[in-house]
Amino acid sequence: MNLKLTVSSVIVCFCSYLVETEEIKRFQSVKPLFYNITFELNFEQLTFNGYEEISILILIPTKLIEIHSSNIQIQQAIFCQSNNDFIASVSYNHRAETVTLMFEEAKGQNGILKLSFSGVFNDDFKGFARLHFTEEKRFGAFTKFQPQLARKAFPCFDDPAMKANFSLTLVVPSEMIALSNVPIVSSEIFNKNGTLKKVSFFQTPKMSNYLASVVIGYFKYVERHTKHRKIPIRVYTLASKLREVEFAADVSSKIIDYFETVLKIPYSLPKLDIVAIENFTVAGMENWGLIMITAIRLHVNDASSILNKRRLVSLLAHEIAHQWTGNLVTAEWWSDIWLNEAFACYLSRICTFALFPEWKVIDATLDEVTSPAFNVDGLANSHAIVFDVWHSDNLTTAFDSITYQKGESVIQMIANLIGKEKLFEAFTVFLKRHEYGNAKTNDFLKILEEISEIRVEKVISPWLLQRGYPMIEVSEENSSSLKLSQQMFLNNGQLWRVNESAKWIVPIVYKESCECEKKLLLLERESAFISISNQIILNNEAYGFYRTKYSRKMYEKLSKSLKLVNRANRFLLQNDLFAFTKAGMFSTVEYLQFLNAYNEEDDLNVWQSIDKSLEEIDLILSNTKIQTKFSTFVKNFMNTKLKSIGLKIKTDDNLSTTLIRSIIFKRLGLFQEENIIIEAKKQFELSVKNRNQTLDPNLRQAIFCTVARNSNEAQFRNMFELLIRMDYKRYEERNDLVQCIGHTVRRNQIKTLLNFCVSGDVTEQEASIIISAIAKSAIGRKIAWNTFIKNKQNQNRLIKSKKYNNFITSLIKKYSSENKAKKIENRFKKLNPRAKASIVENIRIRAKWLERDYVKLHDYLSRF
Ligand SMILES: [Zn+2]
């Protein structure tokens, strides 16, 4: 599913917090077989009435049936057996989100539950939600059921393991388009004056109820067909935006062809619809045959940046991959959700690479997948990929970076251990063996064992079943051998010795010199020795999910011969060293000195990683006297590269050069480099005066950020008015503005933006992106804290605007002092406890890092 919308390009689906409930209830005594449901939707009152018949199998004789239901009024419940109807009494358990139906004792195994009920459309994207058509000032509706929200639309056995067939019917206004998982079987006039129609859909295959889905709205569509089996792919959006979904339609049909070929299993349904959802809180949702994509991501045009096109293809490939992994075969419970999500992430990357090799998405894995997974999994409160989900809080956690990004990293390890062909063979066997059913992690591991000669289960299980990851420490034992030892690494610098209950079998691929053959060592014990002849780099293909710590002497040697090190290892060397620096194993000065070896670096992902590290150092220094000195260091470092690639875009620039320029432009602009400010303002003002003079899409964010950081009153007003005027017709430009405008450091401008954030002109996601940029500066954090945390009235406005959780999280996660860590720990009871604990832990790590390194940094930076 369901990819979280974040500032970064990383795809994570699920984000909204769930209702706080007690233990999650799973039912064992009945098994649903078939749901026949009719919804009558009232768009004037924004309500619905439902009638459903659920054919069930009674596994244990009983006088009562418990069923999930939340925010729904049940008007009547009848239990029918052998053509006898028994009226059931209904008692609600609101906290557990269930109702209990009491009736005469069931005599046989088969029965039908007949329920009539009603509910309202909500604006929280849970269950039956309102679909906004802002431009046309009217509403439609759509469903969002993952993970356990179907119960808000109809009483059901809301459990992914309880698969059933669905037959849906909708009564809706005649002028509206109605879509569901499968095609329409009939559509007829429902009332005398013809204002309503009754639309019935074919029966679905067996599926988990969170995948059942409908959308009703005012759409037009673009249609394509797959090449091999001519399956119709339709992309639905507003009539005015049709041209901007042509790319999505073209690509989606190719993605289906690709997956049918590599997975050797045809797409299971007769059609696929993809629908633009305005202001969707997640990037996408993979409902079977009816994928929903947030409008801001789905539309691209000639003015779109390469990164946005790339994100769209990855997102479509992720949701389409789910049609197999997730929909055809579904994780048995949320504990095994990596089988849906990590598989979809991996398949999406492979597919995007196959369709657009020039985008080099495989190269981006270290920056977009491995590195963020390291950061989250190095926290003390991390969890295993496969873990116990029994409470709504755990359920939120199940859709985090560990599931998606560490999960994808583990699949990559498997691919490298057994080979990509074998892995795809395993996917095919797995999908065929469990089609239309559910599976657990062990089912997949068993298949890997069957088709591979390596003891995959033994090697891979520890990466799935225990939290954290190892750091391999390399020390020179003597001139001919190295000692490798594994310890569990934590971001805060604690190292845990591995033991029988917590250790990894670490696949270490290494070369003794740049020319010779690769060797594989499976490090099973706490330590091992390997022989060396020359310089040695571990984790040669960079597919092992571990960090490598070399000795100071080895780092020195490596920095002198960095040109001989491959791209992936150049990434890991600095990325690992930065993590060790934050953890206190090296000083920030040592890290900055090591960076000097990188000023001729030409790999985009290495630059991205370095830029993030420099941004984080800037964050801890943002309230100190040496921040200006640090910015001088960064300017010197980056200007060397900028001189070699040039500030102006050239026609023969490759993708990497184009995007490295954008990274450097933005950082230098934020650090107030004079010539960058002049260039950015010149281009911005030209584009304001003449709206046909559009900014280069790949440089647009860098320009907006530079102007925002260095604007005078008139320039800020121009920028702000542009944002207000820029409605959802220009999604991409608006998104770039939202990402950048919060970089201002002027008091009145920050206040204007904070007021804007609680207004109705900005969505929850946009507000949290704006505050995220504001919170990067010390003055921004101070004003935002005083405005929304000290001032009760404003806090209530924020709560009322339904933006509280994301907004507060984006603000508080930027602090770097023990004082604030304590305050945050004792407040914000409404935040998810695990998310809050991670924020506090990160703040404490930064606070200690600053305290430890400040004097050394002060001395070092004084020379710049
Ligand atoms: Zn997903």
PDB file of all heavy atoms in Angstrom, residues 1-3 13 286 318-319 322 341 344 404, ligand 1:
ATOM      1  N   MET A   1       0.818  -1.183   0.000  1.00  0.00           N
ATOM      2  CA  MET A   1       0.000   0.000   0.000  1.00  0.00           C
ATOM      3  C   MET A   1       0.839   1.213   0.000  1.00  0.00           C
ATOM      4  O   MET A   1       2.017   1.094  -0.286  1.00  0.00           O
ATOM      5  CB  MET A   1      -0.825  -0.014   1.246  1.00  0.00           C
ATOM      6  CG  MET A   1      -0.416   0.926   2.272  1.00  0.00           C
ATOM      7  SD  MET A   1      -1.715   1.528   3.178  1.00  0.00           S
ATOM      8  CE  MET A   1      -0.982   2.009   4.560  1.00  0.00           C
ATOM      9  N   ASN A   2       0.266   1.897   0.233  1.00  0.00           N
ATOM     10  CA  ASN A   2       0.029   3.076   0.932  1.00  0.00           C
ATOM     11  C   ASN A   2       1.319   3.763   1.255  1.00  0.00           C
ATOM     12  O   ASN A   2       1.977   3.475   2.249  1.00  0.00           O
ATOM     13  CB  ASN A   2      -0.507   2.577   2.234  1.00  0.00           C
ATOM     14  CG  ASN A   2      -1.714   3.132   2.711  1.00  0.00           C
ATOM     15  OD1 ASN A   2      -2.194   4.081   2.217  1.00  0.00           O
ATOM     16  ND2 ASN A   2      -2.167   2.537   3.757  1.00  0.00           N
ATOM     17  N   LEU A   3       1.769   4.630   0.439  1.00  0.00           N
ATOM     18  CA  LEU A   3       3.081   5.216   0.659  1.00  0.00           C
ATOM     19  C   LEU A   3       2.958   6.577   1.305  1.00  0.00           C
ATOM     20  O   LEU A   3       2.218   7.419   0.868  1.00  0.00           O
ATOM     21  CB  LEU A   3       3.802   5.325  -0.679  1.00  0.00           C
ATOM     22  CG  LEU A   3       3.909   3.969  -1.340  1.00  0.00           C
ATOM     23  CD1 LEU A   3       4.474   4.072  -2.720  1.00  0.00           C
ATOM     24  CD2 LEU A   3       4.779   3.066  -0.528  1.00  0.00           C
ATOM     25  N   CYS A  13       4.053   3.911   2.728  1.00  0.00           N
ATOM     26  CA  CYS A  13       2.638   4.131   2.484  1.00  0.00           C
ATOM     27  C   CYS A  13       1.836   4.706   3.636  1.00  0.00           C
ATOM     28  O   CYS A  13       1.333   5.793   3.586  1.00  0.00           O
ATOM     29  CB  CYS A  13       1.979   2.831   2.093  1.00  0.00           C
ATOM     30  SG  CYS A  13       2.733   1.979   0.749  1.00  0.00           S
ATOM     31  N   GLU A 286      -3.152   0.391  -3.025  1.00  0.00           N
ATOM     32  CA  GLU A 286      -3.134  -0.611  -4.098  1.00  0.00           C
ATOM     33  C   GLU A 286      -4.405  -1.410  -4.279  1.00  0.00           C
ATOM     34  O   GLU A 286      -4.357  -2.505  -4.848  1.00  0.00           O
ATOM     35  CB  GLU A 286      -1.996  -1.589  -3.809  1.00  0.00           C
ATOM     36  CG  GLU A 286      -2.234  -2.571  -2.649  1.00  0.00           C
ATOM     37  CD  GLU A 286      -1.723  -2.085  -1.309  1.00  0.00           C
ATOM     38  OE1 GLU A 286      -1.524  -0.864  -1.155  1.00  0.00           O
ATOM     39  OE2 GLU A 286      -1.521  -2.911  -0.400  1.00  0.00           O
ATOM     40  N   HIS A 318       5.203   0.305  -7.672  1.00  0.00           N
ATOM     41  CA  HIS A 318       4.981  -0.246  -6.324  1.00  0.00           C
ATOM     42  C   HIS A 318       3.523  -0.711  -6.174  1.00  0.00           C
ATOM     43  O   HIS A 318       3.267  -1.840  -5.763  1.00  0.00           O
ATOM     44  CB  HIS A 318       5.302   0.837  -5.284  1.00  0.00           C
ATOM     45  CG  HIS A 318       5.078   0.417  -3.866  1.00  0.00           C
ATOM     46  ND1 HIS A 318       6.096   0.014  -3.034  1.00  0.00           N
ATOM     47  CD2 HIS A 318       3.942   0.315  -3.123  1.00  0.00           C
ATOM     48  CE1 HIS A 318       5.601  -0.298  -1.855  1.00  0.00           C
ATOM     49  NE2 HIS A 318       4.288  -0.128  -1.886  1.00  0.00           N
ATOM     50  N   GLU A 319       2.586   0.160  -6.537  1.00  0.00           N
ATOM     51  CA  GLU A 319       1.166  -0.198  -6.347  1.00  0.00           C
ATOM     52  C   GLU A 319       0.759  -1.307  -7.310  1.00  0.00           C
ATOM     53  O   GLU A 319      -0.057  -2.168  -6.964  1.00  0.00           O
ATOM     54  CB  GLU A 319       0.266   1.032  -6.531  1.00  0.00           C
ATOM     55  CG  GLU A 319       0.603   2.238  -5.647  1.00  0.00           C
ATOM     56  CD  GLU A 319       0.604   1.959  -4.151  1.00  0.00           C
ATOM     57  OE1 GLU A 319       0.172   0.866  -3.745  1.00  0.00           O
ATOM     58  OE2 GLU A 319       1.084   2.819  -3.384  1.00  0.00           O
ATOM     59  N   HIS A 322       1.890  -4.660  -6.103  1.00  0.00           N
ATOM     60  CA  HIS A 322       0.984  -5.176  -5.062  1.00  0.00           C
ATOM     61  C   HIS A 322      -0.164  -6.009  -5.649  1.00  0.00           C
ATOM     62  O   HIS A 322      -0.772  -6.800  -4.923  1.00  0.00           O
ATOM     63  CB  HIS A 322       0.349  -4.015  -4.300  1.00  0.00           C
ATOM     64  CG  HIS A 322       1.140  -3.550  -3.116  1.00  0.00           C
ATOM     65  ND1 HIS A 322       1.688  -4.408  -2.198  1.00  0.00           N
ATOM     66  CD2 HIS A 322       1.448  -2.304  -2.680  1.00  0.00           C
ATOM     67  CE1 HIS A 322       2.298  -3.702  -1.254  1.00  0.00           C
ATOM     68  NE2 HIS A 322       2.184  -2.429  -1.527  1.00  0.00           N
ATOM     69  N   GLU A 341       4.904  -5.378   1.480  1.00  0.00           N
ATOM     70  CA  GLU A 341       5.497  -4.061   1.235  1.00  0.00           C
ATOM     71  C   GLU A 341       6.934  -4.105   0.727  1.00  0.00           C
ATOM     72  O   GLU A 341       7.279  -3.420  -0.231  1.00  0.00           O
ATOM     73  CB  GLU A 341       5.408  -3.201   2.505  1.00  0.00           C
ATOM     74  CG  GLU A 341       3.986  -2.884   2.937  1.00  0.00           C
ATOM     75  CD  GLU A 341       3.177  -2.169   1.875  1.00  0.00           C
ATOM     76  OE1 GLU A 341       3.766  -1.626   0.935  1.00  0.00           O
ATOM     77  OE2 GLU A 341       1.930  -2.177   1.979  1.00  0.00           O
ATOM     78  N   ALA A 344       7.006  -5.352  -2.738  1.00  0.00           N
ATOM     79  CA  ALA A 344       6.555  -4.338  -3.708  1.00  0.00           C
ATOM     80  C   ALA A 344       7.647  -3.285  -3.924  1.00  0.00           C
ATOM     81  O   ALA A 344       7.852  -2.823  -5.050  1.00  0.00           O
ATOM     82  CB  ALA A 344       5.261  -3.685  -3.223  1.00  0.00           C
ATOM     83  N   TYR A 404       9.488  -1.394   5.164  1.00  0.00           N
ATOM     84  CA  TYR A 404       9.703  -1.053   3.756  1.00  0.00           C
ATOM     85  C   TYR A 404      11.184  -1.112   3.382  1.00  0.00           C
ATOM     86  O   TYR A 404      11.582  -1.789   2.458  1.00  0.00           O
ATOM     87  CB  TYR A 404       9.190   0.363   3.465  1.00  0.00           C
ATOM     88  CG  TYR A 404       7.694   0.472   3.442  1.00  0.00           C
ATOM     89  CD1 TYR A 404       6.967   0.506   4.624  1.00  0.00           C
ATOM     90  CD2 TYR A 404       7.008   0.546   2.249  1.00  0.00           C
ATOM     91  CE1 TYR A 404       5.584   0.611   4.608  1.00  0.00           C
ATOM     92  CE2 TYR A 404       5.624   0.654   2.219  1.00  0.00           C
ATOM     93  CZ  TYR A 404       4.924   0.680   3.407  1.00  0.00           C
ATOM     94  OH  TYR A 404       3.554   0.767   3.381  1.00  0.00           O
TER      95      TYR A 404
HETATM   96 ZN    ZN B   1       2.767  -0.593  -0.532  1.00  0.00          ZN
END
